Amino acid sequence: MPLTVHGLPEILALGGRDLGHSGWKEVTQELIDAYAHVSGDHQWIHTDTARAAEGPYGRTIAHGYMVLSWGIPMFAELLQVTGVGRALNYGVDRVRYPAPVPVGSRVRLHATITGVREEARGGVRMTRAFTFEREGSPKPVCVAESLTYYVSA
């Protein structure tokens, strides 16, 4: 059950809050292929199962940007914001991919609100530490700093 906050004052109170983990998402070849189709990234390590079986990971691996794109829906499992006019994805900083995500893996998001501040032009900017974890792996598969801008209703 996600934490729900209402309006900018409650968003401002979230600084430093660890929101925990999302549910697990299985990485299937169908998802990888669909992402390859949409993104145009058909590199063999992602889409050629026969060649990838002979490659460094013994099977295909997920696109890093595909995993990163799961941040918003996974974050919605952890935090719901009501009472704002709109929420805008402001950007992503410091993205790294420390470990691969082989097909058949399960991935989840761990999120912490690392900062919340009022903006001079109105609204609030939230900075979130995203750590994507692969089940059974000691290393994260993606770490990023995600920024969202909330505007009052």
Side-chain angles (χ1 to χ4, degrees):
M1 192 75 171
L3 171 67
T4 300
V5 295
H6 185 79
L8 298 183
E10 289 187 20
I11 294 170
L12 284 165
L14 290 174
R17 179 106 182 230
D18 184 333
L19 297 176
H21 296 89
S22 71
W24 292 102
K25 183 171 184 75
E26 184 174 354
V27 178
T28 65
Q29 190 61 49
E30 291 78 19
L31 283 173
I32 292 170
D33 291 343
Y35 185 83
H37 176 72
V38 170
S39 69
D41 181 353
H42 298 279
Q43 184 182 23
W44 66 268
I45 197 73
H46 306 302
T47 59
D48 186 337
T49 57
R51 186 173 176 192
E54 303 299 320
Y57 307 109
R59 53 191 162 160
T60 58
I61 61 171
H63 302 77
Y65 285 120
M66 181 180 86
V67 173
L68 180 62
S69 76
W70 294 341
I72 299 305
M74 288 180 165
F75 186 75
E77 295 178 32
L78 306 175
L79 180 68
Q80 292 292 311
V81 176
T82 62
V84 297
R86 65 186 178 277
L88 305 167
N89 290 321
Y90 188 68
V92 181
D93 291 338
R94 301 181 195 134
V95 179
R96 301 291 184 267
Y97 302 102
V101 181
V103 67
S105 300
R106 292 191 336 148
V107 173
R108 69 180 178 181
L109 172 70
H110 177 253
T112 302
I113 309 296
T114 56
V116 185
R117 71 178 197 211
E118 291 184 77
E119 291 288 309
R121 61 183 182 232
V124 171
R125 186 168 66 179
M126 177 188 291
T127 303
R128 307 169 298 192
F130 282 0
T131 303
F132 294 87
E133 303 169 347
R134 179 171 50 112
E135 189 174 39
S137 175
K139 283 181 96 173
V141 297
C142 177
V143 292
E145 185 177 86
S146 176
L147 309 169
T148 300
Y149 183 69
Y150 295 95
V151 179
S152 62

